[in-house]
Amino acid sequence: MLAKIFTPLACIALILSACAPSTTAAYDTDPGENGYYLTEVKPDPEVRALVPENLKKVGILKNVSATDYAPAEYRKTDGKTPTGYDIDLARAIAKTMGLKDARTTHYTFADLLKKVGSTADVAISSFTITAQRETQTNMVSYMQAWSQYAVAVGNPKKFDSTRPCGTTIGVQNGTFQLDFLQKASQKCVQNGEKPITIKIHERQSEITTLVLEKKYDATLADSTVISYTSRKTGGRLEKFGPAAHTLPQGILVSKNDSALTEAVQAAVQKLMDSGELKKILEHYGAGDTALKNANINPPAN
């Protein structure tokens, strides 16, 4: 993946004046983005007391994330350094725990869950909280997002979000939106209509390019991602239809690590109470998504 060579099509976003050698498409990067400065986040003794001793000794919170979903998690223009509000949140949690820092490693979204509890302490990567995921991992809620369609400006493919049967829609692998589209396509067939042609990608940025090229009718992703991408493409990708499926997102922690789960929950609640979580999200234009309560495995569909 890091060796991928991009064509000029990867440079059509307006945020770059030229196509520089990079391992990420233009939609994944923001040259002016330095992340949120965590100067007001301090170690909390009560949270520190909950942190497992082995993690205290290591001093680094290991996070895994699919860093191709701006503004939640993406990479700086060096193509390597993770940034985004989920990356800043991981560091804020580590700081609240009294650790040295957090370290984020990139994996494809579909591979993240299996890394939790083995190579990583947590996974913070825009995970919608679902009942199925809660059977596999503990989830700590921290924000909510909506599903949002997007099309090329002017909707040249005449996409109708109320009648998606027979259309071609791009979606990131492993996401809630993929599950939704697969179920919607099954209903199309049951009703005697054409199925949805679902184009699955590991990178949301690839989907954006193909929608703008009019090869796909639309894409479906988190509202925060669609809003950000629309801004960074100068409006060439635009929101379409009403937002739907307002659902909380959560931090993944191993089912076998109740102590770390409680420590993460306590740290996130401290960041909520202090207003730092909202400030982190606001830095990326997503302040209205912050929750007020960090819950462990809240009721889910």
Side-chain angles (χ1 to χ4, degrees):
M1 186 171 185
L2 292 179
K4 183 173 180 179
I5 299 174
F6 285 87
T7 69
L9 293 176
C11 306
I12 58 179
L14 299 183
I15 58 173
L16 295 179
S17 60
C19 187
S22 173
T23 58
T24 61
Y27 313 112
D28 291 334
T29 62
D30 185 345
E33 185 57 72
N34 293 314
Y36 178 75
Y37 293 104
L38 304 173
T39 53
E40 299 301 316
V41 180
K42 308 296 183 185
D44 186 279
E46 294 180 357
V47 175
R48 174 75 175 176
L50 297 173
V51 178
E53 288 301 320
N54 63 326
L55 181 53
K56 289 180 182 177
K57 291 179 181 178
V58 174
I60 299 293
L61 183 71
K62 292 180 288 186
N63 174 47
V64 287
S65 186
T67 54
D68 43 32
Y69 207 58
E73 46 271 332
Y74 56 114
R75 279 163 280 178
K76 295 184 179 180
T77 50
D78 62 6
K80 299 178 182 179
T81 306
T83 191
Y85 57 72
D86 279 344
I87 309 305
D88 289 344
L89 175 58
R91 300 188 65 226
I93 291 171
K95 198 168 183 180
T96 305
M97 288 178 168
L99 303 177
K100 296 175 184 177
D101 205 348
R103 181 186 302 121
T104 296
T105 303
H106 168 82
Y107 290 95
T108 59
F109 189 83
D111 290 334
L112 295 178
L113 194 149
K114 69 183 72 171
K115 300 295 181 182
V116 177
S118 55
T119 61
D121 302 306
V122 297
I124 311 180
S125 194
S126 302
F127 278 98
T128 299
I129 295 177
T130 66
Q132 181 180 8
R133 284 176 177 154
E134 287 182 341
T135 65
Q136 301 171 288
T137 181
N138 287 333
M139 301 193 77
V140 179
S141 60
Y142 65 103
M143 64 172 288
Q144 63 183 2
W146 306 264
S147 292
Q148 178 73 61
Y149 283 107
V151 298
V153 64
N155 193 18
K157 302 284 283 185
K158 307 301 180 185
F159 177 72
D160 182 349
S161 59
T162 67
R163 300 173 60 89
C165 302
T167 63
T168 300
I169 303 174
V171 67
Q172 189 180 51
N173 192 20
T175 60
F176 166 82
Q177 288 82 10
L178 172 58
D179 292 339
F180 169 78
L181 288 176
Q182 288 174 333
K183 292 174 182 177
S185 184
Q186 291 173 359
K187 289 182 180 179
C188 290
V189 175
Q190 292 170 1
N191 294 332
E193 298 184 74
K194 293 181 179 179
I196 300 170
T197 299
I198 304 170
K199 296 293 187 178
I200 304 171
H201 291 255
E202 299 297 338
R203 302 168 63 90
Q204 184 66 27
S205 54
E206 295 174 348
I207 300 169
T208 297
T209 298
L210 292 164
V211 172
L212 293 181
E213 290 179 336
K214 305 173 188 173
K215 293 180 179 178
Y216 295 172
D217 295 282
T219 182
L220 182 65
D222 287 344
S223 54
T224 52
V225 172
I226 296 302
S227 295
Y228 182 90
T229 308
S230 179
R231 291 196 303 272
K232 294 306 174 184
T233 59
R236 294 181 65 193
L237 185 82
E238 63 179 17
K239 297 179 186 179
F240 188 84
H245 313 118
T246 303
L247 295 169
Q249 295 187 348
I251 298 165
L252 273 56
V253 189
S254 172
K255 277 285 188 190
N256 299 321
D257 202 335
S258 58
L260 180 57
T261 302
E262 291 177 8
V264 169
Q265 184 276 332
V268 174
Q269 190 63 57
K270 288 288 183 180
L271 293 168
M272 289 175 171
D273 295 343
S274 68
E276 285 302 306
L277 173 62
K278 186 172 183 178
K279 289 179 183 178
I280 291 171
L281 293 168
E282 281 179 339
H283 187 72
Y284 297 89
D288 61 341
T289 66
L291 294 175
K292 295 182 179 180
N293 295 300
N295 296 314
I296 299 172
N297 297 330
N301 295 326

